[in-house]
Amino acid sequence: MGGGSGSPIVARTQVNLLLVIAILVSIIVVIVIIYLISKAIRDYHNSPAYFEKKRLRPTSSGDISEIARQCKLVRDERDVLQQICHKNPSPNILYTVHDLEAMEKLFKKEFDDLDQKGDENSKTFLFSLRSKIRKNYMPPEEMTSSRKIDIGTRMTYTVSRGIHHKLTYVNKTQDVMILNLPQFMVERNEKPATLSRILLVFELASGSPYQMETRVVRYQLGSHGEEQMIVMHSDQIIPLQKRQVERIEMQEDCDFSSVIVTTVKEGKNSHIEYKMSSTIHKGILLDVSAGGCRLVVNIPIKAEQFINISGRLNTRDVDSAIGTILRTTKREDGKFILHIKFVKIDPPTVNRIQAKACGYA
């Protein structure tokens, strides 16, 4: 038999083998192409360029709905957010909510617009919207060293129960912090002893509170003659429970009087009436928030009583509010601190307090 003639079975086997190899190679090529395309897409989605593109795109109604869902916004709060996004469509609100400084600029801008219009109702929902967004998207900052604290931060030093002083952090070196002392603290000679260990409480810009243990090094006079306390830098810093609302620290004179509360029935309905006493007493406001205040008085007043407070609750305008005394603290100097929860206060008054506490006024 001639050697050039091959078996038909062998020929078909070779053809089938080549076909299988071709199919396998094609599959591998397709898989490689899909992998390379997927990798390119994945790399692009993880690239700064893609992130910036998504961040800068205009906010959509779906983005607002997502924020509303995550923060559990009521309709009026969502309307305020939608108005903010309509005026400032870019960057995308889904990304902006994670930027504390950017969001504060938007809230302040919207507050100014509402203030010009005199829209107190929308102001109320602007502040509640701000509170929910900060709570949902602004996690507590990690603070492990006093070297990370911003210059200008206010720090609280407690002399004794009910007696607190506000010190201002004005400068630092590698080893120490320089704090300006309030004149009231100097006049009362309530400075901690040199080389003594003390506790200082402070808040970051995000509102996260911390307590720091440090040691007093010495005292000195500042460039303008102000008394300064030098303390060591510290790594002994622990987080404290965050307040629900911002407070305004102050030393403002105020008037207060007792209030009689009665429930008046009208058929099946009833309402509460507040009757203020004509006897006026003097006090000093220590701090005020939208929900209440602390007041220093010269007379002991028991808890669970109602009083009317009149004074510059936002340090500027004279307003009034009715509150109930939650507790009374006696100080070492014989005076008393009333811890008050507001039960009747006008929305415009609350808005003025909130504006001052948030730094909008």
Side-chain angles (χ1 to χ4, degrees), residues 2 17 29 61 93 95 108 118 148 188 194 222 250 262 281 358:
L17 182 59
V29 169
S61 59
I93 192 66
Y95 293 83
K108 174 63 166 61
K148 297 180 181 179
R188 291 173 59 93
T194 300
M250 59 176 69
T262 56
H281 303 278
C358 296

Side-chain angles (χ1 to χ4, degrees), residues 107-125:
F107 288 138
K108 174 63 166 61
K109 182 179 178 181
E110 184 63 17
F111 173 82
D112 290 340
D113 290 346
L114 295 175
D115 198 38
Q116 288 184 354
K117 297 175 183 176
D119 189 346
E120 297 295 335
N121 185 62
S122 293
K123 281 187 196 176
T124 298
F125 290 107

Side-chain angles (χ1 to χ4, degrees), residues 96 146 205 247:
T96 309
S146 62
R247 287 182 174 271

Side-chain angles (χ1 to χ4, degrees), residues 88-99:
N88 309 273
S90 184
N92 189 332
I93 192 66
L94 286 175
Y95 293 83
T96 309
V97 289
H98 297 280
D99 187 333

